[in-house]
Amino acid sequence: MRHLIDPLDFTQQEISTLLDLADRIHDDPAAYQEVARHKKLATLFYEPSTRTRLSFEAAMLNLGGHVLGFPSENVSSASKGESVADTIRVVSCYADIVAMRHPKEGAPLRASRYSRIPVINAGDGGHQHPTQTLTDLMTIRRRMGRLDDLTIGLCGDLKFGRTVHSLIKTMARCKNIRFVLISPEELRVPDYIVKDVLEANGIPYKETRSLEESMSELDILYMTRVQKERFFNEEDYIRLKNSYILTKEKMSLAKPDMAVLHPLPRVNEIALDVDDDPRAAYFEQVQNGVYVRMALIMTLLGLRDPKAPKEEN
């Protein structure tokens, strides 16, 4: 039995295989509508979510399966003091697979150690968000036709942004990748990411405070919001929340085929008129997230792919 807690739990070849499956689902979703018949997904969301929770639920329903779970901690037995370990033991009796979001880093990992069914980390605090990373990879690959030879700009909250951390760790395994890290000093990428991932693997990167000066060199621009819920001091949030706003004027500085990604939700860091730019890929990401999670559920449950190439059947 396998879990997905960290994006590096899958090898590059396994990720490629999963993205190939997601592409097949994208091209013919009707072929997969009975694949998970009678299977049940439990969504254990201790922290609010719109896209990730609904994406998992849509994925399982699109596969013909069923969904149960809770949307926040205060409607679960956690509000009575039940531990993550006990919750997962109980849920293992009801479901075939679990997607868990938790504000505490490491909670999904702890759950996986007590679970009798596969556990998917749907986001743990400011740590990791592996299924968003898979969604990002699918979007990048479909937009650019590759995952290698790219300059990726990450802009905004790079300190608490779990999607940023997961994407850096995963893309660092690709060939000829370069990162441009755009943030205020207070929200720069954590030192452990810089030292243990970028510098340890000889990945070229630069840190800068200027989005405008970086636009022309980017193949991918990954925008993030400044996350109010991660701040202990509201004054710091107010001071930093409008650090970077992507506008049409700034987009005019970018390559004609650059793709703009965002894990959403956005607050005001991308102006609404950018939505009409063909380089804006963030709502495309939302749809890709459903296909990726369908592929992941199938993979972890070992379900048959009706459209697999003959050599895979």
Side-chain angles (χ1 to χ4, degrees):
M1 181 178 67
R2 295 189 68 179
H3 309 284
L4 179 62
I5 306 301
D6 184 289
L8 301 189
D9 287 344
F10 282 10
T11 66
Q12 283 295 85
Q13 181 56 53
E14 288 172 329
I15 287 176
S16 180
T17 298
L18 187 143
L19 295 181
D20 289 343
L21 172 55
D23 282 338
R24 291 195 291 273
I25 295 172
H26 173 281
D27 295 340
D28 190 3
Y32 294 84
Q33 60 188 5
E34 296 292 332
V35 167
R37 190 180 180 189
H38 303 309
K39 298 293 185 181
K40 294 183 285 295
L41 165 73
T43 53
L44 310 185
F45 277 63
Y46 293 80
E47 190 176 52
S49 169
T50 300
R51 275 148 304 279
T52 303
R53 183 170 64 86
L54 293 183
S55 182
F56 269 110
E57 293 182 1
M60 194 58 167
L61 294 173
N62 288 352
L63 291 170
H66 306 279
V67 178
L68 62 154
F70 53 80
S72 65
E73 183 177 30
N74 61 7
V75 295
S76 75
S77 290
S79 63
K80 304 174 184 177
E82 183 174 69
S83 68
V84 165
D86 281 359
T87 296
I88 199 67
R89 286 186 178 108
V90 171
V91 173
S92 292
C93 299
Y94 303 143
D96 300 288
I97 189 168
V98 165
M100 174 184 284
R101 168 165 289 188
H102 203 286
K104 293 183 179 179
E105 299 177 1
L109 175 61
R110 179 169 176 77
S112 71
R113 291 172 175 168
Y114 293 90
S115 180
R116 293 187 288 107
I117 58 178
V119 174
I120 301 170
N121 179 4
D124 59 333
H127 191 220
Q128 301 286 351
H129 196 344
T131 62
Q132 180 63 49
T133 298
L134 293 172
T135 298
D136 298 339
L137 296 182
M138 180 179 181
T139 306
I140 292 169
R141 195 172 78 159
R142 290 185 69 86
R143 279 284 179 135
M144 309 304 293
R146 66 190 190 279
L147 291 176
D148 299 323
D149 304 306
L150 295 170
T151 297
I152 302 171
L154 300 154
C155 180
D157 180 359
L158 309 188
K159 178 178 181 180
F160 299 111
R162 58 194 170 199
T163 60
V164 168
H165 305 162
S166 291
L167 186 61
I168 291 175
K169 289 178 69 175
T170 305
M171 291 297 295
R173 300 193 297 185
C174 300
K175 297 177 182 178
N176 299 322
I177 295 295
R178 178 175 177 263
F179 290 102
V180 180
L181 309 174
I182 309 159
S183 73
E185 175 64 29
E186 297 92 333
L187 296 177
R188 63 185 293 273
V189 171
D191 287 340
Y192 83 90
I193 294 288
V194 172
K195 294 177 181 177
D196 298 345
V197 180
L198 298 176
E199 294 179 352
N201 292 286
I203 307 296
Y205 74 94
K206 74 172 183 179
E207 295 187 85
T208 179
R209 306 291 168 254
S210 174
L211 174 57
E212 291 90 335
E213 291 179 7
S214 305
M215 290 292 286
S216 63
E217 60 187 299
L218 304 180
D219 298 303
I220 303 293
L221 173 59
Y222 198 92
M223 294 294 296
T224 67
R225 69 185 172 97
V226 176
Q227 304 176 81
K228 184 177 181 180
E229 64 271 25
R230 306 297 176 204
F231 281 79
F232 295 107
N233 186 329
E234 187 171 0
E235 292 181 359
D236 288 340
Y237 167 73
I238 293 171
R239 178 169 53 84
L240 295 169
K241 68 177 183 177
N242 294 323
S243 296
Y244 301 100
I245 299 177
L246 182 63
T247 62
K248 268 194 169 183
E249 290 72 26
K250 293 173 185 174
M251 287 292 289
S252 68
L253 303 172
K255 296 178 181 179
D257 63 344
M258 183 193 76
V260 181
L261 277 65
H262 191 308
L264 302 178
R266 69 172 162 188
V267 182
N268 65 346
E269 61 278 357
I270 298 180
L272 293 178
D273 59 7
V274 175
D275 295 352
D276 298 327
D277 192 303
R279 293 168 290 184
Y282 31 92
F283 292 115
E284 181 182 323
Q285 279 175 276
V286 174
Q287 187 61 64
N288 287 341
V290 177
Y291 300 132
V292 159
R293 291 177 176 100
M294 290 171 72
L296 179 61
I297 289 168
M298 288 181 60
T299 298
L300 292 179
L301 289 179
L303 302 178
R304 179 181 174 274
D305 176 6
K307 302 288 287 188
K310 289 184 178 180
E311 60 268 21
E312 294 183 17
N313 284 322

